Amino acid sequence: MEVREKAASSWLSWFQTVGESALSVELFSYQGEPHIVLAQPFAGRCLILSWDYSLQRFRPEEELPAACLASLTYLSASHLPTAPSVVSCKPLVLGSSLFVLAARLWGGSQLWARPSPGLRLAPTQTLAPRRLLRPNDAELLWLEGQPCFVVADASKAGSTTLLCRDGPGFYPHQSLHAWHRDTDAEALELDGRPHLLLASASQRPVLFHWTGGRFERRTDIPEAEDVYATRHFQAGGDVFLCLTRYIGDSMVRLGLGEEGAQPGLMLQLTPIEGFCFQAIPGPPESPRDPRLSPATPLQVMRWDGSMFRLLQQLPSRGAHVFQPLLIARDQLAILGSDFAFSQVLRLEPDKGLLEPLQELGPPALVAPRAFAHVTMAGRRFLFAACFKGPTQIYQHHEIDLSA
């Protein structure tokens, strides 16, 4: 299905399948070429994909296997599960060097490095083994010109840890939010300063701001307990924040900044000004794999100058991934569903609404957990990482109808 406008028509069509299931998908550019890295928990590896110009499709380039990952840790391979459940693979490019942080549930998290082109990635460092006991998410951020990783830890005894570069490796710079079983970290910029939003299984999301060489608590988001994950994007100079919940009603809020001149989409909460929310029911079975409750509508509301008013409702049965993506001129939001076809929505600037663009499939996505967009050889692709099925790749098409 596609939606036609006066100026352009756009849609996504299936392009390719990558066999193994995945929890996350990340993009990076190395030596001028885009690459994709998938976190494949059952295979216990990070898989790097690149573009094959001869075959005109994506192909595996390199993998970070479980056996090598285990060799660095204080546990031997015989004490590790068959698949050590890689939950996140976060790339970082510094000049000609490539680093990949591989966060795992068992056996410790590691840093892999490629010092220069032509060499293979090799494990170089075990990361904070006494602090990172059950990592659930990893993010990259830059602080005072230096690259840092933040790893959200979901264990009762672990703590979310900020790892910053010091010499050849990355070492703990600060422990955040200890004992709160954090499930997700999101780095963003507000008021020209770095901020960090942590979602937790035990309390409302907490917003930290960078000051004096460390993160300090700034505020939290009220009435937003049991938030599992957060994502943000910018549109028209405003910041949008999407929160995924697994207990309570499923809702969405897209808010605008201080001026409030254009309509936004909002949830019935009292948020930090200028954010949007999406919520999802059901407690988690495994990392990024919550059980879902029956259908509840997504509520879309508009700012009228004094309050947010209901504008639109969207079905969300089985949806627990709400990923904003900017593809070409389209600001999209993808609702991944375990029970039905995943929905692609498009933000219509004139209406301030998320409107259906199409369904993804066939083939249907089986328990989608993450989406990402990459431009390759002048073509635009959407990656859909699925927890209970293969990763699917779609191609974005656009036709100019103005002529």
Side-chain angles (χ1 to χ4, degrees), residues 85-356:
S85 193
V86 177
V87 297
S88 182
C89 302
K90 184 62 64 171
L92 166 64
V93 177
L94 296 175
S96 61
S97 299
L98 170 64
F99 301 88
V100 177
L101 183 151
R104 301 186 305 153
L105 288 183
W106 299 286
S109 299
Q110 285 81 29
L111 183 72
W112 289 60
R114 177 191 292 169
S116 61
L119 300 177
R120 297 186 65 84
L121 283 159
T124 60
Q125 182 185 0
T126 299
L127 298 171
R130 296 180 180 271
R131 303 190 192 193
L132 301 179
L133 303 182
R134 192 186 177 191
N136 206 72
D137 183 41
E139 295 296 332
L140 172 67
L141 64 163
W142 289 79
L143 300 171
E144 300 177 0
Q146 291 297 319
C148 297
F149 294 104
V150 59
V151 182
D153 193 281
S155 70
K156 293 181 179 180
S159 63
T160 292
T161 301
L162 179 68
L163 303 158
C164 292
R165 193 181 187 201
D166 186 2
F170 286 77
Y171 299 94
H173 179 83
Q174 183 182 359
S175 291
L176 292 157
H177 224 212
W179 306 99
H180 283 295
R181 295 181 295 157
D182 295 327
T183 55
D184 185 83
E186 179 76 350
L188 64 163
E189 186 173 295
L190 297 172
D191 306 323
R193 290 187 299 170
H195 283 68
L196 182 66
L197 185 64
L198 296 181
S200 170
S202 60
Q203 66 173 200
R204 296 182 296 223
V206 178
L207 184 69
F208 296 83
H209 66 121
W210 182 256
T211 179
R214 59 187 290 110
F215 278 110
E216 299 288 349
R217 180 189 172 109
R218 180 174 180 178
T219 186
D220 61 13
I221 299 179
E223 302 177 45
E225 287 79 8
D226 302 303
V227 170
Y228 182 76
T230 63
R231 293 292 179 269
H232 84 285
F233 68 98
Q234 295 183 354
D238 299 299
V239 179
F240 295 77
L241 177 67
C242 299
L243 281 76
T244 302
R245 296 175 65 193
Y246 50 79
I247 294 176
D249 290 336
S250 223
M251 303 179 184
V252 64
R253 158 152 59 186
L254 297 181
L256 295 175
E258 296 181 357
E259 297 182 2
Q262 301 181 18
L265 315 172
M266 281 218 62
L267 175 81
Q268 292 172 315
L269 297 176
T270 306
I272 303 167
E273 188 174 11
F275 293 86
C276 93
F277 296 79
Q278 185 234 357
I280 293 171
E285 289 179 329
S286 58
R288 300 186 183 273
D289 185 36
R291 290 193 300 268
L292 302 171
S293 67
T296 51
L298 288 171
Q299 289 188 352
V300 182
M301 309 186 80
R302 173 179 290 172
W303 177 253
D304 66 0
S306 61
M307 62 179 296
F308 290 97
R309 298 187 183 275
L310 184 64
L311 182 66
Q312 181 185 12
Q313 285 190 330
L314 300 169
S316 61
R317 178 172 175 79
H320 66 290
V321 175
F322 187 59
Q323 178 71 55
L325 293 169
L326 181 63
I327 304 181
R329 294 174 292 181
D330 293 330
Q331 179 60 64
L332 304 179
I334 305 177
L335 283 171
S337 176
D338 282 11
F339 302 150
F341 285 119
S342 296
Q343 297 284 331
V344 181
L345 309 172
R346 180 168 56 189
L347 183 64
E348 301 296 342
D350 295 337
K351 300 179 181 179
L353 291 172
L354 284 172
E355 294 194 345

Side-chain angles (χ1 to χ4, degrees), residues 363-377:
L365 301 179
V366 185
R369 294 296 180 265
F371 298 92
H373 157 247
V374 62
T375 299
M376 191 74 69

